[in-house]
């Protein structure tokens, strides 16, 4: 499903510091400075004034080397970490202009449980090894206020089948699965609450090439069939080329280039983006 032009997520000025910070942090760090560590107070500027919107049915790619701040960006959106500054609006929450970052813990849990799906690089961050495959999907449904046991079982079976986990293994524990199979269980769990926004953090890293290709095909197929808006974080431009409609390039905590993925890959403007593209060729 193509993007509709309607934003399901709007992020404005997202900033995340590690450390006390000082008035010069945001000025003395970034690509021009060649570092995201403040020379005055030594705080780490993981994200510096990042703004973007995510349209319904769109896959937005965020690419950059390790330490660029791309994963921190996702962790702030899903409340794994606290944003130092900025605003975040979900179209399906409140009036659509209620800042998620300033909400109570209860409201944030509602957003995470009902409006977000999250897929981590390490599957065991997103699934519980002492729950069965079906039990992991059930857990997500329970947090989203679905309590009918037969419906939960049916939904779990449907999603596991959709993500190519054999139904015969629905009651197996993830510890007995391969890394690729664990990743599929995690994707099924993330989809359980039918979220309008899915966040994927380096989901193919560490997988065998053939498994990686199948997981990426699965993500593209889910997006096409269900129309879920996604943010895909990766250091791999090949992954971004395959999945993303638009792409933001991050370096030292800042977005240095943003636009249609084809444009960025075929005619990169920033020197760092040019280096990334040429390293892929």
């Amino acid at each position: 499903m193509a993007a509709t032009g309607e934003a399901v997520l709007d992020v404005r000025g997202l900033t995340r510091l590690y450390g006390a910070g000082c008035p010069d942090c945001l000025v003395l760090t970034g690509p021009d400075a060649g570092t995201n560590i403040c020379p005055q107070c030594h705080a780490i500027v993981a994200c510096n004034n990042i703004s973007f919107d995510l349209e319904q049915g769109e896959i937005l790619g965020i690419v950059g080397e390790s330490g660029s701040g791309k994963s921190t960006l996702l962790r702030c959106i899903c409340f794994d970490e606290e944003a130092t500054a900025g605003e975040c609006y979900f179209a399906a929450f409140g009036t659509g202009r209620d800042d998620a970052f300033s909400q109570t813990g209860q409201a944030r849990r509602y957003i995470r449980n009902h409006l977000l799906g999250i897929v981590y690089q390490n599957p065991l961050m997103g699934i519980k090894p002492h729950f069965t495959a079906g039990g992991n999907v059930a857990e997500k449904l329970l947090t989203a206020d679905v309590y009918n046991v037969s419906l939960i079982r049916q939904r779990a079976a449907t999603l596991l089948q959709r993500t190519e986990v054999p139904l015969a293994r629905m009651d197996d524990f993830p510890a007995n699965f391969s890394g690729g199979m664990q990743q599929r269980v995690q994707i099924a769990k993330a989809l359980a609450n039918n979220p309008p926004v899915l966040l994927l953090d380096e989901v193919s890293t560490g997988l065998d090439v053939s498994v990686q290709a199948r997981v990426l095909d699965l993500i593209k197929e889910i997006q096409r069939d269900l129309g879920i808006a996604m943010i895909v974080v990766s250091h791999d431009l090949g992954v971004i080329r395959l999945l993303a409609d638009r792409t933001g390039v991050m370096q030292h905590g800042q977005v240095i280039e943003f636009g249609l993925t084809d444009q960025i890959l075929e005619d990169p403007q920033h020197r760092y983006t040019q280096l990334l593209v040429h390293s892929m060729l």
Side-chain angles (χ1 to χ4, degrees), residues 237 241 249 256-281:
L237 273 175
R241 179 194 290 275
V249 182
I256 58 170
E257 193 161 354
F258 191 90
L260 295 174
T261 301
D262 288 346
Q263 291 179 348
I264 284 179
L265 294 180
E266 293 173 10
D267 186 24
Q269 299 300 303
H270 194 279
R271 182 173 178 274
Y272 174 70
T273 310
Q274 293 170 356
L275 290 173
L276 284 181
V277 172
H278 291 154
S279 69
M280 185 181 71
L281 300 176

Short mmCIF file of all heavy atoms in Angstrom, two decimals, residues 237 241 249 256-281:
data_model
loop_
_atom_site.label_atom_id
_atom_site.label_comp_id
_atom_site.label_asym_id
_atom_site.label_seq_id
_atom_site.Cartn_x
_atom_site.Cartn_y
_atom_site.Cartn_z
N LEU A 237 22.79 0.11 3.69
CA LEU A 237 22.04 0.80 2.64
C LEU A 237 21.30 -0.18 1.73
O LEU A 237 20.30 0.19 1.12
CB LEU A 237 22.97 1.68 1.81
CG LEU A 237 23.21 3.10 2.33
CD1 LEU A 237 24.24 3.82 1.48
CD2 LEU A 237 21.91 3.90 2.38
N ARG A 241 17.56 0.40 0.70
CA ARG A 241 17.17 0.42 -0.72
C ARG A 241 15.97 -0.49 -0.97
O ARG A 241 15.04 -0.15 -1.70
CB ARG A 241 18.33 0.00 -1.61
CG ARG A 241 17.99 -0.01 -3.10
CD ARG A 241 19.04 -0.74 -3.92
NE ARG A 241 20.29 -0.01 -4.00
CZ ARG A 241 20.54 0.94 -4.91
NH1 ARG A 241 19.60 1.29 -5.78
NH2 ARG A 241 21.69 1.56 -4.93
N VAL A 249 19.52 10.25 6.62
CA VAL A 249 20.89 9.82 6.90
C VAL A 249 21.37 10.54 8.15
O VAL A 249 21.31 11.76 8.23
CB VAL A 249 21.82 10.13 5.71
CG1 VAL A 249 23.24 9.63 5.99
CG2 VAL A 249 21.29 9.51 4.42
N ILE A 256 21.63 14.54 8.36
CA ILE A 256 22.40 15.38 7.45
C ILE A 256 21.80 15.42 6.05
O ILE A 256 22.13 16.31 5.25
CB ILE A 256 23.86 14.91 7.36
CG1 ILE A 256 23.92 13.46 6.90
CG2 ILE A 256 24.57 15.11 8.69
CD1 ILE A 256 25.30 12.98 6.55
N GLU A 257 20.92 14.45 5.75
CA GLU A 257 20.29 14.42 4.44
C GLU A 257 18.98 13.66 4.56
O GLU A 257 18.91 12.66 5.28
CB GLU A 257 21.21 13.77 3.41
CG GLU A 257 20.76 13.97 1.97
CD GLU A 257 21.87 13.72 0.96
OE1 GLU A 257 23.04 13.51 1.36
OE2 GLU A 257 21.56 13.74 -0.26
N PHE A 258 17.95 14.13 3.85
CA PHE A 258 16.64 13.51 3.97
C PHE A 258 15.91 13.67 2.65
O PHE A 258 15.92 14.74 2.05
CB PHE A 258 15.83 14.19 5.09
CG PHE A 258 14.57 13.45 5.46
CD1 PHE A 258 14.60 12.49 6.46
CD2 PHE A 258 13.38 13.69 4.82
CE1 PHE A 258 13.45 11.80 6.81
CE2 PHE A 258 12.23 13.01 5.15
CZ PHE A 258 12.27 12.06 6.15
N GLY A 259 15.30 12.58 2.19
CA GLY A 259 14.56 12.68 0.94
C GLY A 259 14.10 11.32 0.45
O GLY A 259 14.19 10.32 1.17
N LEU A 260 13.63 11.27 -0.78
CA LEU A 260 13.24 10.00 -1.39
C LEU A 260 14.46 9.09 -1.48
O LEU A 260 15.55 9.53 -1.83
CB LEU A 260 12.65 10.24 -2.79
CG LEU A 260 11.33 11.02 -2.85
CD1 LEU A 260 10.96 11.30 -4.30
CD2 LEU A 260 10.22 10.26 -2.15
N THR A 261 14.26 7.83 -1.15
CA THR A 261 15.38 6.89 -1.10
C THR A 261 16.12 6.81 -2.43
O THR A 261 17.35 6.84 -2.46
CB THR A 261 14.88 5.49 -0.70
OG1 THR A 261 14.25 5.58 0.58
CG2 THR A 261 16.02 4.50 -0.62
N ASP A 262 15.39 6.75 -3.54
CA ASP A 262 16.03 6.66 -4.85
C ASP A 262 16.91 7.87 -5.12
O ASP A 262 18.01 7.76 -5.66
CB ASP A 262 14.97 6.53 -5.95
CG ASP A 262 14.32 5.15 -5.96
OD1 ASP A 262 14.86 4.24 -5.32
OD2 ASP A 262 13.26 5.00 -6.60
N GLN A 263 16.41 9.05 -4.73
CA GLN A 263 17.18 10.27 -4.95
C GLN A 263 18.47 10.27 -4.13
O GLN A 263 19.54 10.64 -4.62
CB GLN A 263 16.34 11.50 -4.60
CG GLN A 263 15.18 11.76 -5.56
CD GLN A 263 14.36 12.96 -5.16
OE1 GLN A 263 14.49 13.49 -4.06
NE2 GLN A 263 13.49 13.40 -6.06
N ILE A 264 18.36 9.85 -2.87
CA ILE A 264 19.53 9.85 -1.99
C ILE A 264 20.57 8.85 -2.47
O ILE A 264 21.77 9.11 -2.45
CB ILE A 264 19.10 9.56 -0.54
CG1 ILE A 264 18.46 10.82 0.06
CG2 ILE A 264 20.28 9.09 0.31
CD1 ILE A 264 17.98 10.68 1.46
N LEU A 265 20.12 7.68 -2.95
CA LEU A 265 21.07 6.66 -3.39
C LEU A 265 21.67 6.96 -4.76
O LEU A 265 22.81 6.59 -5.04
CB LEU A 265 20.38 5.29 -3.40
CG LEU A 265 19.95 4.75 -2.04
CD1 LEU A 265 19.29 3.38 -2.20
CD2 LEU A 265 21.13 4.65 -1.09
N GLU A 266 20.90 7.63 -5.62
CA GLU A 266 21.39 7.90 -6.97
C GLU A 266 22.12 9.24 -7.08
O GLU A 266 22.99 9.40 -7.93
CB GLU A 266 20.21 7.87 -7.94
CG GLU A 266 19.61 6.47 -8.10
CD GLU A 266 18.34 6.48 -8.94
OE1 GLU A 266 18.05 7.54 -9.54
OE2 GLU A 266 17.65 5.44 -8.99
N ASP A 267 21.76 10.19 -6.20
CA ASP A 267 22.39 11.51 -6.29
C ASP A 267 22.58 12.10 -4.89
O ASP A 267 22.01 13.12 -4.54
CB ASP A 267 21.51 12.45 -7.13
CG ASP A 267 22.18 13.79 -7.39
OD1 ASP A 267 23.42 13.85 -7.35
OD2 ASP A 267 21.44 14.78 -7.62
N PRO A 268 23.41 11.44 -4.06
CA PRO A 268 23.63 11.93 -2.70
C PRO A 268 24.32 13.30 -2.70
O PRO A 268 25.25 13.52 -3.48
CB PRO A 268 24.52 10.85 -2.08
CG PRO A 268 25.21 10.19 -3.24
CD PRO A 268 24.22 10.25 -4.37
N GLN A 269 23.85 14.19 -1.83
CA GLN A 269 24.38 15.54 -1.81
C GLN A 269 25.46 15.73 -0.75
O GLN A 269 26.43 16.46 -0.98
CB GLN A 269 23.23 16.53 -1.55
CG GLN A 269 22.14 16.50 -2.62
CD GLN A 269 22.68 16.85 -4.00
OE1 GLN A 269 23.27 17.92 -4.21
NE2 GLN A 269 22.51 15.94 -4.95
N HIS A 270 25.29 15.12 0.40
CA HIS A 270 26.25 15.29 1.48
C HIS A 270 27.44 14.36 1.29
O HIS A 270 27.29 13.22 0.83
CB HIS A 270 25.56 15.01 2.83
CG HIS A 270 26.35 15.49 4.02
ND1 HIS A 270 27.40 14.78 4.55
CD2 HIS A 270 26.23 16.62 4.77
CE1 HIS A 270 27.90 15.44 5.58
NE2 HIS A 270 27.21 16.55 5.74
N ARG A 271 28.62 14.81 1.65
CA ARG A 271 29.84 14.02 1.44
C ARG A 271 29.77 12.68 2.18
O ARG A 271 30.20 11.64 1.65
CB ARG A 271 31.06 14.81 1.90
CG ARG A 271 32.39 14.09 1.67
CD ARG A 271 33.57 14.99 1.99
NE ARG A 271 34.83 14.27 1.80
CZ ARG A 271 35.41 13.50 2.71
NH1 ARG A 271 34.83 13.36 3.89
NH2 ARG A 271 36.56 12.89 2.47
N TYR A 272 29.22 12.70 3.39
CA TYR A 272 29.13 11.45 4.16
C TYR A 272 28.18 10.46 3.48
O TYR A 272 28.49 9.27 3.39
CB TYR A 272 28.63 11.75 5.58
CG TYR A 272 28.37 10.52 6.41
CD1 TYR A 272 29.41 9.72 6.86
CD2 TYR A 272 27.07 10.16 6.76
CE1 TYR A 272 29.18 8.59 7.62
CE2 TYR A 272 26.82 9.03 7.52
CZ TYR A 272 27.88 8.25 7.95
OH TYR A 272 27.64 7.12 8.71
N THR A 273 27.06 10.95 2.95
CA THR A 273 26.13 10.08 2.24
C THR A 273 26.79 9.51 0.99
O THR A 273 26.61 8.35 0.64
CB THR A 273 24.86 10.84 1.85
OG1 THR A 273 24.34 11.53 2.98
CG2 THR A 273 23.80 9.90 1.33
N GLN A 274 27.58 10.35 0.30
CA GLN A 274 28.30 9.89 -0.88
C GLN A 274 29.24 8.74 -0.53
O GLN A 274 29.35 7.75 -1.27
CB GLN A 274 29.08 11.05 -1.50
CG GLN A 274 28.19 12.12 -2.10
CD GLN A 274 28.95 13.38 -2.48
OE1 GLN A 274 30.16 13.49 -2.24
NE2 GLN A 274 28.25 14.36 -3.07
N LEU A 275 29.93 8.84 0.63
CA LEU A 275 30.82 7.78 1.06
C LEU A 275 30.04 6.49 1.35
O LEU A 275 30.47 5.39 0.99
CB LEU A 275 31.58 8.21 2.31
CG LEU A 275 32.65 9.30 2.10
CD1 LEU A 275 33.22 9.75 3.44
CD2 LEU A 275 33.78 8.77 1.22
N LEU A 276 28.87 6.64 2.00
CA LEU A 276 28.05 5.47 2.28
C LEU A 276 27.61 4.79 1.01
O LEU A 276 27.67 3.57 0.87
CB LEU A 276 26.82 5.90 3.10
CG LEU A 276 26.98 6.20 4.58
CD1 LEU A 276 25.63 6.57 5.18
CD2 LEU A 276 27.59 5.03 5.33
N VAL A 277 27.13 5.57 0.04
CA VAL A 277 26.65 5.03 -1.22
C VAL A 277 27.77 4.36 -1.99
O VAL A 277 27.63 3.25 -2.52
CB VAL A 277 25.97 6.11 -2.06
CG1 VAL A 277 25.64 5.59 -3.45
CG2 VAL A 277 24.71 6.62 -1.37
N HIS A 278 28.93 5.00 -2.04
CA HIS A 278 30.04 4.43 -2.78
C HIS A 278 30.57 3.15 -2.13
O HIS A 278 31.03 2.24 -2.82
CB HIS A 278 31.17 5.45 -2.90
CG HIS A 278 30.83 6.60 -3.80
ND1 HIS A 278 31.40 7.84 -3.67
CD2 HIS A 278 29.94 6.71 -4.81
CE1 HIS A 278 30.89 8.66 -4.58
NE2 HIS A 278 30.00 7.99 -5.29
N SER A 279 30.46 3.07 -0.81
CA SER A 279 30.92 1.85 -0.12
C SER A 279 30.01 0.67 -0.39
O SER A 279 30.39 -0.48 -0.24
CB SER A 279 30.98 2.10 1.39
OG SER A 279 29.70 2.24 1.94
N MET A 280 28.76 0.97 -0.83
CA MET A 280 27.80 -0.08 -1.12
C MET A 280 28.01 -0.63 -2.53
O MET A 280 27.64 -1.77 -2.82
CB MET A 280 26.37 0.48 -1.01
CG MET A 280 25.26 -0.56 -1.17
SD MET A 280 23.62 0.19 -1.04
CE MET A 280 23.56 1.11 -2.59
N LEU A 281 28.60 0.16 -3.39
CA LEU A 281 28.77 -0.22 -4.80
C LEU A 281 29.88 -1.26 -4.96
O LEU A 281 30.81 -1.34 -4.19
CB LEU A 281 29.07 1.02 -5.64
CG LEU A 281 27.99 2.11 -5.62
CD1 LEU A 281 28.46 3.32 -6.42
CD2 LEU A 281 26.69 1.56 -6.17
#
